[in-house]
Amino acid sequence: MHPRLPSADFLDLIRPSTGEIFDAQPAARGFSSDVLTLIDSDLGRFFVKGIKNRAGGRRDSLLRERIINPSVHPLSPRLCWHAQNDQWIALGFEQLNGRPSNFAPNSPDLPAIMQLVNRIGEIPLPAAAELWPETRWDRFASDPHEAALFKGDSLIHGDINPGNLLIGDTGSWVVDWAWPTRGSALIDPALLALQLIAAGHSPQDAETWTSQCTAWTHSDPAAIDAFARANLRMYRKRAKRYPDQTWLAAMETTARAWTDYRQASSPSARANT
């Protein structure tokens, strides 16, 4: 059996929600779930995520994704059901006919990508997210003042990348709300800028595209500078810690290019990294 296809005990858990299962295929996207599969069943076709029911970050992320879904649908696929026992936690989403977006220069997806990030910024902060302050970049800020620039009352997706922004013939969606938080509205557009550079855009072109995001244009440039530097420190530390993960070194290079560009173009960003 494919390691991310359901085991018999997992199927027993979800069968009351799916009915008879005709087919199960591994899903191409996502890396943080123990089970990630597309299911065709008596009661419908579902995208199913499953995590071992053990205390810790991955379990907490799946619980957050369940809680946030009503607030982010229809931008996100609808959560149809959830199931839990002592061994497993499972979420069953509606299947979408979509593909990962293309962030490359001259991609026809770029306008839709900007619209998706803008739509995230338009979602009112759900009550649950008020208890989920954003802290992931705090330790990479140079001081508490810079870390405070990442705070705010906007709903943050926090993982903007091509695999999480899906494009289809009849719509587009933001998926994998595994770690939503409350933070500064600049974070998701800034993550988009970083990913655009990683996809081949120059930093200037990346920021030109990102300037179509309302939250970006309303953000303090000094806060964007601080966030760019925090990302560089983050990827530098992780690339050093995990030298076999070559993508981390590539992202360090990307973050350096962005920081260098902002240092050259913005006096407020001239602090040493």
Side-chain angles (χ1 to χ4, degrees), residues 203-216:
Q204 182 178 7
D205 286 347
E207 292 199 359
T208 297
W209 275 107
T210 310
S211 67
Q212 296 182 30
C213 299
T214 302
W216 176 274

Side-chain angles (χ1 to χ4, degrees), residues 145-146 149-150 186 219-229 262 266 268-269:
H145 170 73
E146 281 199 351
L149 297 174
F150 311 153
L186 76 86
S219 292
D220 181 351
I224 301 174
D225 295 340
F227 191 73
R229 295 194 300 267
R262 293 198 65 82
S266 172
S268 65

Side-chain angles (χ1 to χ4, degrees), residues 88-171:
W88 292 99
I89 300 176
L91 304 182
F93 296 91
E94 61 180 331
Q95 277 196 39
L96 299 176
N97 185 19
R99 57 168 176 79
S101 53
N102 182 350
F103 279 30
N106 301 317
S107 166
D109 294 346
L110 290 170
I113 291 166
M114 304 309 134
Q115 291 174 9
L116 285 171
V117 175
N118 263 329
R119 288 174 65 191
I120 296 173
E122 294 168 356
I123 299 173
L125 183 69
E130 294 179 5
L131 304 176
W132 301 334
E134 180 55 69
T135 61
R136 282 170 284 190
W137 287 272
D138 288 8
R139 63 194 173 110
F140 301 106
S142 62
D143 54 45
H145 170 73
E146 281 199 351
L149 297 174
F150 311 153
K151 307 305 179 187
D153 291 315
S154 295
L155 176 65
I156 305 303
H157 180 277
D159 192 12
I160 302 298
N161 66 66
N164 286 340
L165 305 185
L166 302 186
I167 307 294
D169 293 336
T170 60

Side-chain angles (χ1 to χ4, degrees), residues 9 38 49 60 65 74 94 108 110 112 115 125 130-131 161 163-164 168 174 234 256 265:
D9 58 338
L38 302 171
K49 300 176 72 170
D60 292 346
E65 191 164 6
E94 61 180 331
L110 290 170
Q115 291 174 9
L125 183 69
E130 294 179 5
L131 304 176
N161 66 66
N164 286 340
V174 180
M234 179 183 72
R256 167 62 72 182
S265 59

Side-chain angles (χ1 to χ4, degrees), residues 229-269:
R229 295 194 300 267
N231 273 281
L232 174 57
R233 296 185 189 106
M234 179 183 72
Y235 282 115
R236 177 192 295 154
K237 181 174 181 178
R238 292 179 178 175
K240 184 177 181 179
R241 184 175 181 182
Y242 303 105
D244 57 321
Q245 300 291 319
T246 56
W247 70 273
L248 289 171
M251 287 304 297
E252 180 188 358
T253 299
T254 295
R256 167 62 72 182
W258 188 28
T259 302
D260 287 349
Y261 168 75
R262 293 198 65 82
Q263 285 179 332
S265 59
S266 172
S268 65

